[in-house]
Amino acid sequence: MSEPHPTPAPAPVPTPAPAPVVVRLSADGPVVRDPRDGTDLLGEAFAQDAEWLLVPATRFGAEFFTLSTRLAGEVTQKFAQYRVGLAVVGDLSAYTGASGALRDFVRESNRGRQLWFLADEAEFDARIDALRGARNGASRPVR
């Protein structure tokens, strides 16, 4: 006599990854000119339990985009340390056109998942959607 074969359980249905909490700052507000100003931005993200802080490029002084000041490194390192994503949104062509090092920094940052320099909020939204798809097993690359 043969034993009955159990019916296999249905495959679990993947649930979509929840949308991250994103705080979108306005262009009005203090300009980041020193590390303390960057820490204030991070505090803004913490106050709202944000996973990402989207900041208009106009909120960063020229010092931030001059890599020799090390301000960009200090500010972005704090965000990475506390695992809060930072998206700088706006036209950076005046800065990247004048500095190959900054152009390289922007390109390398945009390959990661922690720091992005983007043209607009729509580009940010597309990247976040792509990350959520990747978490759900989709094979859409983030560029």
Side-chain angles (χ1 to χ4, degrees), residues 44-105:
E44 183 79 29
F46 281 146
Q48 299 187 48
D49 291 326
E51 295 172 59
W52 277 91
L53 189 65
L54 191 144
V55 185
T58 56
R59 293 279 303 265
F60 293 93
E63 307 87 351
F64 183 85
F65 299 107
T66 305
L67 296 182
S68 62
T69 68
R70 299 179 185 235
L71 179 58
E74 289 182 48
V75 170
T76 60
Q77 179 59 38
K78 285 270 189 203
F79 276 81
Q81 182 177 359
Y82 290 100
R83 294 190 171 119
V84 175
L86 175 63
V88 178
V89 178
D91 182 13
L92 302 179
S93 60
Y95 298 112
T96 57
S99 172
L102 179 63
R103 200 169 34 253
D104 293 343
F105 178 68

Side-chain angles (χ1 to χ4, degrees), residues 31-49:
V31 175
V32 175
R33 297 196 186 281
D34 62 42
R36 186 177 52 247
D37 297 332
T39 302
D40 290 345
L41 284 181
L42 188 58
E44 183 79 29
F46 281 146
Q48 299 187 48
D49 291 326

